[in-house]
Amino acid sequence: MASHGARGRGGGRPTLEEVAARAGVGRGTVSRVINGSPRVSDATRAAVEAAVAELGYVPNTAARALAANRTDAIALVVPEPETRFFAEPYFSDMLRGVGAALSDTEMQLLLIFAGSDRERQRLADYLAAHRVDGVLLVSVHADDPLPDMLAQLEIPAVISGPRSAAETLTSVDSDNYGGARQAVEHLIGRGRRRIAHITGRLDVYGAQRRVDGYRDALRDAGHPEDELMIEAGDFSEEGGRGAMAALLERRPDLDAVFAASDVTAAGARHALREAGRRIPEDVALVGYDDSAIARHMDPPLTSVRQPIEEMGRSMIDLLLAEVADRRPPASRELDRRQVVLATELVARASS
């Protein structure tokens, strides 16, 4: 018997009709099998799959996407400078989780930076042309216009962390409040009494919630509130270094620091050592993220682990569900979800 291989009757690419003829079924049945429809018997599915394998049929995904008014593309939008994206482990971990979740689909992932007004306008024009099926928005600030723009364009979107308690878009976040409480309660349990906090960017809701957790943990333990023990940072190493120097100048008697990220903690560590403070003997140090930085610091950094890769996978699951939802946008608004994943403190030698 002659082998068909990957050629159809005309010597070209096998067609859907040829698969149907080989399997002895209709063209619509083949389409249902290829698209994973459950409305096909096991015997029929096996016959179609055998015909697909014999003929070497490859579905025309571009044509299928066009017929379904889809692009089979997802955009991961980062409203930050590229330098920050590549400097902070949070973003690479998020990208890894998103990529893993998409690996079993036919979706393509586009990485788009939108940290400037010009980049945001270019993104708006791109999205208005409906070149992607949905958007993942990472690192959103309170005044960021991108979420509202996506809502106006009626593009399915999921963001990593709400902009506020009244968020209207579907979001996935870690328990920033609970994670901060874990960090401070750990320091209190180690006998620390003068605990400072270097915040993240306070136009980020997650950073605000970490401040809330810090304050409440101290208050519940009977420690007086001291605003001089809080210094604003920006999640960066340089920000952590400057904030730590300012705290030491104001409160040289501090004996512990909770930093809003591991990168910030690395900067604080430099400032502490420049001031002659030993870690943890003089000042205990705790970070947030439990990134590779935490494990490789000297001493290794105690840190709050947030499941960043799991957040990325969860964002994809929610976004694909929204993309598949064919109801009018107004009907879907009632189903917006705010997913919050648990954090875990990982104790190491710095505390």
Side-chain angles (χ1 to χ4, degrees):
M1 176 185 286
S3 172
H4 285 268
R7 297 286 179 182
R9 287 175 185 151
R13 177 173 172 165
T15 66
L16 198 69
E17 289 77 9
E18 289 171 359
V19 173
R22 171 60 64 92
V25 298
R27 185 179 187 279
T29 300
V30 175
S31 181
R32 283 193 291 275
V33 171
I34 290 172
N35 287 298
S37 171
R39 296 187 297 113
V40 181
S41 70
D42 291 341
T44 298
R45 186 182 307 281
V48 171
E49 289 174 347
V52 166
E54 289 172 17
L55 292 174
Y57 174 74
V58 178
N60 187 338
T61 55
R64 284 165 51 199
L66 183 63
N69 194 28
R70 283 174 42 186
T71 65
D72 280 347
I74 295 294
L76 175 64
V77 177
V78 183
E80 299 282 359
E82 291 182 40
T83 51
R84 186 181 171 208
F85 179 88
F86 291 108
E88 296 188 22
Y90 173 88
F91 294 107
S92 58
D93 289 347
M94 178 67 71
L95 185 59
R96 189 158 44 245
V98 168
L102 282 179
S103 63
D104 292 331
T105 76
E106 294 177 348
M107 289 284 189
Q108 297 296 314
L109 181 65
L110 307 176
L111 177 60
I112 301 175
F113 296 99
S116 67
D117 291 340
R118 181 181 178 186
E119 288 173 334
R120 278 191 290 271
Q121 184 55 55
R122 192 163 58 218
L123 174 64
D125 295 340
Y126 184 82
L127 295 179
H130 297 287
R131 292 177 176 173
V132 298
D133 294 324
V135 171
L136 301 173
L137 194 53
V138 179
S139 187
V140 185
H141 304 285
D143 59 351
D144 198 317
L146 289 176
D148 292 335
M149 180 189 77
L150 294 172
Q152 290 170 3
L153 293 172
E154 298 184 350
I155 295 176
V158 177
I159 61 178
S160 66
R163 291 165 289 172
S164 71
E167 181 57 67
T168 55
L169 292 178
T170 295
S171 70
V172 177
D173 204 359
S174 69
D175 184 3
N176 292 290
Y177 175 86
R181 285 197 65 117
Q182 287 177 309
V184 177
E185 288 168 355
H186 166 78
L187 289 167
I188 292 170
R190 293 293 175 93
R192 307 294 170 154
R193 294 295 176 264
R194 296 174 299 280
I195 303 169
H197 177 41
I198 301 175
T199 77
R201 288 187 56 166
L202 292 177
D203 60 347
V204 174
Y205 185 61
Q208 297 171 24
R209 293 299 288 154
R210 290 176 199 179
V211 175
D212 293 341
Y214 161 82
R215 284 195 171 113
D216 287 354
L218 288 177
R219 188 189 62 245
D220 291 349
H223 291 246
E225 288 193 30
D226 184 353
E227 291 301 312
L228 295 178
M229 295 289 270
I230 300 176
E231 182 67 21
D234 58 3
F235 292 118
S236 74
E237 183 172 353
E238 273 309 303
R241 192 169 191 159
M244 190 71 253
L247 284 166
L248 287 171
E249 185 174 346
R250 283 203 308 266
R251 291 300 305 268
D253 60 336
L254 63 82
D255 63 4
V257 179
F258 164 48
S261 75
D262 292 344
V263 176
T264 295
R269 169 183 166 273
H270 283 299
L272 287 167
R273 289 200 163 170
E274 286 171 355
R277 306 298 177 90
R278 298 168 301 166
I279 302 171
E281 292 85 357
D282 301 322
V283 179
L285 184 61
V286 175
Y288 203 105
D289 289 335
D290 191 37
S291 63
I293 290 173
R295 297 187 292 276
H296 296 147
M297 274 178 60
D298 178 24
L301 180 69
T302 295
S303 185
V304 177
R305 176 182 294 162
Q306 57 174 340
I308 301 172
E309 289 191 40
E310 185 181 345
M311 289 166 61
R313 291 192 294 270
S314 182
M315 289 176 70
I316 283 293
D317 290 343
L318 292 170
L319 183 60
L320 293 182
E322 290 205 10
V323 169
D325 192 339
R326 297 301 180 186
R327 291 176 299 163
S331 302
R332 297 199 299 262
E333 286 179 5
L334 298 176
D335 295 333
R336 301 299 190 215
R337 295 182 59 189
Q338 313 299 321
V339 176
V340 179
L341 302 178
T343 55
E344 174 189 1
L345 184 91
V346 180
R348 298 190 178 93
S350 71
S351 62

